[in-house]
Amino acid sequence: MLPFPRTVRLLALSAALAAALGGCASYNQMMAGAPMMQVGHRLDLSGAQEVPPVTTSATGKAVVMITPDRAVSGSVETTGIAATAAHIHEGAAGANGPVIVPMVKEGDKFVFPAGAKMTEAQYEAYKAGRTYINVHSAANPGGEMRAQLK
């Protein structure tokens, strides 16, 4: 016999079922045309992705979220590098481009400042795979490691 009375078990089961159905309703509402949620990226940065490639033992991990209203949030954490800057650049894989969303240093990582946002043209470049995260250092001011946002 279970340690809880039958009514308590039934109430718990009813609450779990209601929560599950509520989740289904939310999913169905989203699929029926409600605004989509943010797109998240988990990226591994490397010198091999730089243009031209950079030989480095530094590594980086980025988490970037971009919402349909073009708001950008997330962070970049690095090891083995005294990073001087990090940002999103516009540029296809194999090409360099201008900074479009700068980041700020916060403790041991770089973060996007509150209110960071892409322009409509930058967001279109992002959706087409023509943006990347880049981390710079004194030794490699043009970029020490990079990862394409896809």
Side-chain angles (χ1 to χ4, degrees):
M1 178 104 164
L2 295 173
F4 295 108
R6 180 179 175 175
T7 16
V8 172
R9 290 192 314 260
L10 286 175
L11 284 173
L13 180 60
S14 296
L17 183 58
L21 290 175
C24 290
S26 296
Y27 176 78
N28 289 335
Q29 186 179 34
M30 179 180 74
M31 296 310 290
M36 294 298 290
M37 302 302 282
Q38 64 191 9
V39 176
H41 302 273
R42 292 189 184 279
L43 306 165
D44 293 316
L45 290 83
S46 71
Q49 297 181 68
E50 281 293 338
V51 178
V54 172
T55 301
T56 180
S57 60
T59 60
K61 300 243 182 236
V63 175
V64 179
M65 282 76 61
I66 302 173
T67 61
D69 70 351
R70 304 180 321 273
V72 182
S73 62
S75 64
V76 174
E77 296 187 44
T78 61
T79 57
I81 182 178
T84 57
H87 3 256
I88 294 178
H89 289 252
E90 186 173 339
N96 291 319
V99 172
I100 60 172
V101 186
M103 300 180 83
V104 295
K105 185 114 169 129
E106 187 176 276
D108 292 341
K109 62 185 174 182
F110 287 90
V111 298
F112 293 101
K117 212 165 187 177
M118 291 180 168
T119 66
E120 189 63 44
Q122 293 164 346
Y123 186 67
E124 292 303 316
Y126 156 71
K127 291 192 305 184
R130 296 189 318 266
T131 57
Y132 61 96
I133 294 281
N134 205 15
V135 175
H136 305 263
S137 68
N140 292 288
E144 185 152 341
M145 58 184 147
R146 162 183 175 155
Q148 203 72 25
L149 285 164
K150 300 177 193 175

